[in-house]
């Protein structure tokens, strides 16, 4: 018998991920704080429940991708209020590694299993089902979830016990922070030098500077498209987590601290809902 699938969190990433699961499998159970975000999925056959706990009650495997650590905690605390024995929960939010370890402990006490599996690849990767999935959990639980991961992503890695996925995502976000400031400063420089930005991107993307961010965000910057593939406010959240985890390890990551301050200033100025590529505008104004 097929497992009943639950999905909670239908934002920029979650909606597309849920859509891909719905296309592949026979129905999914969904919940989001804003029901309007679920309407198109409901019209395609998804079943709406009016709480996270009810999704858990009516599903065998539940995927979550919400906003902030407090949202993750709220959702998983709700799961503890119902019978979840034998169920598998997969958190794909980027959140605190220590929180995922705590959630795993709490779920185990209720007879449930847990994987932390944050993702990378932005809105494009979510739509196309090509996300990188960084999973932490037991071998058996990863194997149980794998056929679902294959629908949402193409680069699926089991990195260790619960918490390993989030620590890998922190390493990813630290790298992206430096990449984004380099990308935006590069294009601002090229603009001030009077160069054709499309030609610059086509040229340097084939050399040592080539990277995913240049290929995907560079053309958006040239078009003036600052809609979110990944929101600034969520990137600030991720960088703060990375900085806190770094402090626990005795690390002083000066580059990450600088980029976090730049993005935090943008968020304070009301740009938190723009895509991370909007850093270009902030640098261009300097």
């Amino acid at each position: 018998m097929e497992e009943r699938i639950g999905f909670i969190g239908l934002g920029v990433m979650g909606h597309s991920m849920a859509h891909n699961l719905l296309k592949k499998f026979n129905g999914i159970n969904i919940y989001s704080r804003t029901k309007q975000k679920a309407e198109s999925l409901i019209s395609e056959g998804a079943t709406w429940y009016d709480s996270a706990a009810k999704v858990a009650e009516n599903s065998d495997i539940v995927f979550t991708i919400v906003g902030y650590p407090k949202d993750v905690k709220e959702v998983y605390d709700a799961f503890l209020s119902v019978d979840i024995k034998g169920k598998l929960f997969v958190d794909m939010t980027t959140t605190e590694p220590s929180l995922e370890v705590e959630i795993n402990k709490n779920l185990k006490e209720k007879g449930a299993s847990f994987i932390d599996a944050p993702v990378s690849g932005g809105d494009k990767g979510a739509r196309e089902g090509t996300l990188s999935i960084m999973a932490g959990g037991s071998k058996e639980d990863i194997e149980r979830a794998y056929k679902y991961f294959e629908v949402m992503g193409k680069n699926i890695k089991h990195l260790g016990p619960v918490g390993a996925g989030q620590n890998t995502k922190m390493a990813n976000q630290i790298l992206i922070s430096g990449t984004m400031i380099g990308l935006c400063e590069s294009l601002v420089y090229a603009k001030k030098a009077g160069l054709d930005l499309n030609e610059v991107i086509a040229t340097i993307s084939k050399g040592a500077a080539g990277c995913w961010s240049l290929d995907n965000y560079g053309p958006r910057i040239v078009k003036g498209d600052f809609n979110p593939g990944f929101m600034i406010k969520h990137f600030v959240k991720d960088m703060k987590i990375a900085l806190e985890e770094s402090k626990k390890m005795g690390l002083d990551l000066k580059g990450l601290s600088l980029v976090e301050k730049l993005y935090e200033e943008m968020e304070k100025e009301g740009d938190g809902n723009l895509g991370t590529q909007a850093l270009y505008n902030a640098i261009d104004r300097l």
Side-chain angles (χ1 to χ4, degrees):
M1 190 172 73
E2 285 190 0
E3 289 185 307
R4 299 167 299 168
I5 306 166
F7 202 100
I8 294 169
L10 303 173
V12 171
M13 304 284 286
H15 191 282
S16 293
M17 294 160 72
H19 173 72
N20 289 335
L21 288 171
L22 182 57
K23 282 195 302 181
K24 178 69 175 179
F25 299 101
N26 185 28
I28 63 172
N29 303 320
I30 58 174
Y31 169 73
S32 179
R33 285 183 297 189
T34 307
K35 188 176 181 181
Q36 185 178 0
K37 293 180 179 179
E39 295 296 344
S40 63
L41 294 172
I42 294 169
S43 70
E44 293 171 23
T47 301
W48 169 264
Y49 287 93
D50 61 9
S51 74
K54 286 183 180 177
V55 169
E57 278 186 305
N58 291 279
S59 305
D60 302 303
I61 182 167
V62 179
F63 297 90
T64 59
I65 182 163
V66 294
Y68 295 87
K70 63 180 177 59
D71 302 315
V72 175
K73 188 174 188 313
E74 180 182 322
V75 166
Y76 279 86
D77 282 350
F79 293 155
L80 298 175
S81 68
V82 298
D83 182 9
I84 55 174
K85 187 175 181 180
K87 299 177 187 289
L88 174 59
F89 295 86
V90 184
D91 187 27
M92 307 187 84
T93 315
T94 299
T95 189
E96 298 162 350
S98 58
L99 175 59
E100 303 288 64
V101 171
E102 178 188 341
I103 286 170
N104 181 49
K105 177 178 176 293
N106 293 339
L107 292 179
K108 271 189 174 180
E109 290 174 356
K110 296 276 288 184
S113 300
F114 181 70
I115 296 169
D116 72 309
V119 299
S120 180
D123 59 332
K124 185 173 185 286
R127 285 194 307 272
E128 297 177 358
T130 58
L131 293 168
S132 288
I133 300 175
M134 309 161 219
S138 74
K139 182 175 181 288
E140 294 74 21
D141 290 337
I142 300 295
E143 287 175 352
R144 180 176 171 184
Y146 203 84
K147 68 179 180 180
Y148 307 109
F149 286 156
E150 287 184 308
V151 174
M152 296 181 280
K154 296 302 179 192
N155 182 32
I156 304 158
K157 297 294 184 183
H158 181 197
L159 295 148
V162 169
Q166 296 296 344
N167 278 318
T168 303
K169 183 61 186 288
M170 289 303 106
N172 182 86
Q173 299 305 74
I174 291 166
L175 179 56
I176 289 292
S177 70
T179 302
M180 288 306 296
I181 193 170
L183 165 63
C184 294
E185 287 189 340
S186 170
L187 294 184
V188 167
Y189 177 92
K191 176 187 170 185
K192 297 295 184 185
L195 301 175
D196 182 315
L197 295 188
N198 285 311
E199 287 298 312
V200 169
I201 292 169
T203 301
I204 67 176
S205 66
K206 300 301 185 286
C211 64
W212 187 95
S213 294
L214 178 60
D215 291 342
N216 287 272
Y217 288 128
R220 294 191 192 190
I221 289 170
V222 176
K223 292 175 185 175
D225 177 5
F226 300 107
N227 290 318
F230 188 60
M231 290 184 187
I232 286 171
K233 65 183 181 182
H234 291 149
F235 196 32
V236 170
K237 175 260 296 183
D238 293 354
M239 287 187 286
K240 286 184 182 299
I241 293 172
L243 286 167
E244 283 299 315
E245 295 297 321
S246 298
K247 286 177 185 175
K248 292 175 187 176
M249 298 176 190
L251 297 173
D252 180 16
L253 301 183
K254 292 182 172 59
L256 177 62
S257 297
L258 170 62
V259 180
E260 189 274 332
K261 285 175 184 173
L262 291 173
Y263 274 111
E264 191 173 34
E265 287 172 10
M266 293 183 70
E267 186 178 20
K268 287 176 181 175
E269 290 172 6
D271 293 334
N273 289 327
L274 295 179
T276 51
Q277 71 274 21
L279 181 62
Y280 172 88
N281 286 335
I283 295 170
D284 194 32
R285 289 195 296 264
L286 294 176

